[in-house]
Amino acid sequence: MGTGMPMTAPDSTRRAVLLTVDDDPGVSRAVARDLRRRYGERYRVVRAESGESALDALRQMKLRGDLVAVILADYRMPQMNGIEFLEQAMDVYPGARRILLTAYADTGAAIDAINVVDLDHYLLKPWDPPEEKLYPVVDDLLESWLGSDHRPVPETKVVGHRWSARSSGVREFLARNQIPYRWYLSDQSEGRRLLDAAGHDGLRLPLVIAPGGEVLIEPSDQDLAAQVGLSTTPAEEFYDLVVIGAGPAGLGAAVYGASEGLNTVLVERTATGGQAGQSARIENYLGFPDGVSGAQLTDRARRQATRFGAELLTACEVTGLEVSGPARTVRFADGSSVSAQSVILTTGVAYRLLDVPGLAELTGRGVYYGSALTEAAGCEDQDVYIVGGANSAGQAAVYLSRGAKSVTLLVRGPSLEASMSHYLIQQIAAIPTIRVRTGTVVAAAHGEDHLEGLTLRDTASGGTEMVDAQRLFVFIGAAPRTEWLEGVVRRDGHGFLLTGPDLAAEGERPPGWEPDRPPYHLETSVPGVFAAGDVRSESAKRVASAVGEGAMAVMLVHRYLEGL
């Protein structure tokens, strides 16, 4: 683009943002001054003097539905350097173009950041004259941003009660599906004004105001998805491949299936990413030496799958699988169905429920299964308890410790070593606000409309202790979601799907097997129906292996289709 005129912003009444972050007030003002001089009429320039304040500003802009076009961050900032800031900023605005301001001595770090945070450009300080060193770079990035899918999504408004289980569920659904929304408490002024405008008394919550102005009361996930623009019904009646479950394995299968020419539809009951998508930080995924958030990894995979042409259905609960000749028919809870030549089952697992007195009644009201990242803000300056000793519990502890007064991990076993990765144990040990209590279980939960306390029991002595608690997160192992396959696909004693060699006893083919060949490695007891990821018996239960199995399943689908 060179030094031509500034790009025209998409909406002059709601200007997109250029954000600059530098802990040196003088430098911060200078960057903002130069940006306003050239782009001020078309873009809104926002400056911040720390990574944390800039992240807070980005989150607020996200809730308002504002657009952020370019982010410029200084590398050398205390508490959070520019690379660390940009990595977190990507979770909020993945489409914003990113510039790192750096001194000559730090160019090595800047080059590394190209891989870590998909850095678009690094700019050496000083940048005088800006006409030669600053504006051409920003011009090119704005042109690139304007050519991308940067269009604003009209915001959804949610009015609810802080201790309403369904309000929590709606917020979690929207957040995990990357839908911008604004949250209003029903007992505060703006929330009451919205209730009045909608003509409702607030006795049934949440109230959701969809982008088009439609009002929904206590909506189901499917009703909510339809109103906010997510696809809930298939565009066709017959596909080459149906992938059921949009966790890492399902996303991997959708990417490879669609990219290799298969007419592919990916079906998900809640939101893409599965349990991995709720992870605050995945530290051991190949190619991300500084870790990656589950939301960031999921968003990239989802966009990649749809770019290759995969169709994504959300809030679709699968209830049955039928075999009729070469067709495999998938039936949904609403009575509809879709058929395909092949199916890949990647339904993952669900967290097991903790069966103790008082807990069921308080689920969604201070008790949460999984990370429930939308509840993290409510944990600020509170004592938080987490049940579980595996990686998901440890990742949640590290994430919640950023704002909570204290985080206590309750572990039934004698130590973390048997179930948690070594790197994560080291991280937890280095955070003073995290306490690990081994040999401890929750015996009861207490509270009226929300969680107020827990009774803890020592597994060795049997002694109990009452503690104050307003937030409890539960990660106690997982069970496969395969009940709907009973009598159709063979499972092991725990409900996981048997595939390939595990189906055959002493080399014999499974009962009822018709093809003149043994089952392929990831093929289930139904020819043309494959399983990948956590739902498969004896799988590795790791993100990387799930993605690999999803890709491998597509290769085997091709073999199956060639034999028809």
Side-chain angles (χ1 to χ4, degrees):
M1 187 68 188
T3 56
M5 292 300 292
M7 311 303 105
T8 300
D11 184 353
S12 60
T13 62
R14 192 173 188 176
R15 294 178 298 169
V17 171
L18 308 181
L19 174 68
T20 173
V21 191
D22 198 305
D23 65 300
D24 185 328
V27 175
S28 178
R29 287 192 293 268
V31 177
R33 177 200 64 215
D34 287 343
L35 291 175
R36 289 192 181 102
R37 188 169 67 188
R38 183 172 178 84
Y39 307 103
E41 291 184 4
R42 297 291 185 180
Y43 293 86
R44 183 161 61 95
V45 177
V46 176
R47 71 181 184 93
E49 295 183 0
S50 74
E52 286 293 346
S53 62
L55 287 173
D56 288 340
L58 284 173
R59 294 182 186 111
Q60 291 300 315
M61 287 186 274
K62 185 74 171 180
L63 291 176
R64 292 195 300 267
D66 294 341
L67 297 172
V68 176
V70 177
I71 302 173
L72 302 90
D74 183 56
Y75 172 63
R76 287 187 175 269
M77 294 189 293
Q79 284 82 49
M80 180 187 299
N81 68 37
I83 296 175
E84 293 168 337
F85 160 72
L86 288 173
E87 192 174 9
Q88 294 192 45
M90 286 172 66
D91 291 342
V92 187
Y93 279 98
R97 301 308 187 250
R98 295 170 286 279
I99 300 175
L100 189 69
L101 302 176
T102 180
Y104 182 82
D106 298 320
T107 53
I111 292 171
D112 290 340
I114 293 173
N115 294 320
V116 175
V117 296
D118 285 351
L119 190 68
D120 295 294
H121 200 92
Y122 69 90
L123 192 65
L124 293 176
K125 298 187 293 185
W127 58 87
D128 290 324
E131 289 78 8
E132 294 179 14
K133 297 183 177 180
L134 176 65
Y135 298 153
V137 172
V138 177
D139 283 351
D140 286 343
L141 294 182
L142 285 174
E143 182 180 54
S144 170
W145 180 78
L146 286 166
S148 66
D149 186 13
H150 61 268
R151 294 167 296 176
V153 179
E155 67 184 10
T156 296
K157 300 179 179 65
V158 181
V159 183
H161 191 277
R162 59 172 53 85
W163 300 121
S164 160
R166 186 56 192 151
S167 294
S168 175
V170 164
R171 294 174 66 196
E172 188 79 1
F173 178 87
L174 294 172
R176 292 185 59 195
N177 281 289
Q178 309 286 321
I179 303 298
Y181 72 93
R182 297 196 72 178
W183 165 247
Y184 302 89
L185 289 170
S186 59
D187 56 357
Q188 294 185 351
S189 57
E190 186 63 21
R192 288 194 296 269
R193 279 194 287 268
L194 288 171
L195 287 172
D196 290 341
H200 287 270
D201 55 17
L203 295 178
R204 295 175 59 204
L205 293 173
L207 177 141
V208 179
I209 303 173
E214 301 87 352
V215 174
L216 298 86
I217 304 295
E218 297 178 320
S220 67
D221 284 353
Q222 191 163 33
D223 290 339
L224 189 59
Q227 287 294 348
V228 298
L230 298 174
S231 179
T232 60
T233 56
E236 303 178 28
E237 294 182 356
F238 197 87
Y239 294 82
D240 294 325
L241 172 63
V242 174
V243 182
I244 304 175
L251 287 166
V255 167
Y256 281 90
S259 67
E260 294 175 9
L262 297 177
N263 186 13
T264 302
V265 59
L266 176 61
V267 180
E268 169 56 44
R269 62 182 292 177
T270 305
T272 53
Q275 288 188 7
Q278 296 176 276
S279 175
R281 206 86 192 144
I282 302 171
E283 300 276 3
N284 57 354
Y285 189 71
L286 184 66
F288 291 86
D290 297 298
V292 61
S293 74
Q296 182 180 323
L297 187 64
T298 295
D299 180 65
R300 291 184 178 190
R302 177 187 55 78
R303 288 188 286 118
Q304 192 174 17
T306 55
R307 182 170 66 84
F308 280 124
E311 182 182 341
L312 173 61
L313 304 181
T314 306
C316 291
E317 184 175 359
V318 177
T319 58
L321 175 66
E322 298 176 4
V323 179
S324 179
R328 277 80 182 107
T329 299
V330 175
R331 299 207 173 274
F332 301 120
D334 64 0
S336 64
S337 64
V338 65
S339 297
Q341 295 188 85
S342 59
V343 174
I344 300 179
L345 301 168
T346 56
T347 49
V349 293
Y351 288 113
R352 296 184 187 278
L353 300 182
L354 184 58
D355 186 17
V356 300
L359 213 62
E361 297 83 355
L362 298 172
T363 298
R365 301 175 179 179
V367 176
Y368 307 97
Y369 288 87
S371 56
L373 296 182
T374 53
E375 300 298 327
C379 297
E380 188 168 355
D381 297 325
Q382 290 191 356
D383 296 312
V384 176
Y385 288 81
I386 298 174
V387 179
N391 280 8
S392 52
Q395 289 162 352
V398 171
Y399 179 78
L400 293 171
S401 69
R402 299 173 184 174
K405 179 182 177 182
S406 71
V407 176
T408 302
L409 265 174
L410 305 175
V411 184
R412 177 184 291 271
S415 70
L416 293 173
E417 277 72 13
S419 55
M420 189 177 293
S421 296
H422 180 65
Y423 79 87
L424 199 50
I425 295 174
Q426 290 182 311
Q427 282 189 24
I428 289 172
I431 300 174
T433 54
I434 299 180
R435 179 188 180 193
V436 180
R437 291 186 57 167
T438 57
T440 305
V441 297
V442 175
H446 312 281
E448 294 298 327
D449 64 339
H450 67 277
L451 180 68
E452 298 176 23
L454 298 170
T455 298
L456 307 182
R457 185 176 70 246
D458 186 287
T459 57
S461 68
T464 61
E465 173 189 359
M466 179 75 176
V467 296
D468 293 332
Q470 287 191 307
R471 292 291 194 285
L472 175 71
F473 297 88
V474 183
F475 304 83
I476 56 167
R481 296 168 171 166
T482 59
E483 298 83 1
W484 59 280
L485 291 167
E486 176 68 32
V488 180
V489 178
R490 289 186 63 190
R491 305 180 296 164
D492 67 14
H494 300 287
F496 293 94
L497 303 180
L498 294 167
T499 59
D502 292 336
L503 285 166
E506 299 180 354
E508 296 182 3
R509 295 170 187 171
W513 184 262
E514 296 182 358
D516 187 22
R517 59 169 177 81
Y520 293 128
H521 180 62
L522 300 179
E523 197 168 20
T524 69
S525 59
V526 178
V529 176
F530 299 81
D534 289 2
V535 74
R536 191 176 68 84
S537 181
E538 302 299 329
S539 63
K541 308 296 187 287
R542 289 290 186 269
V543 175
S545 61
V547 173
E549 286 192 7
M552 183 186 296
V554 171
M555 179 189 72
L556 298 174
V557 164
H558 281 293
R559 287 189 192 175
Y560 168 76
L561 295 178
E562 289 168 0
L564 291 180

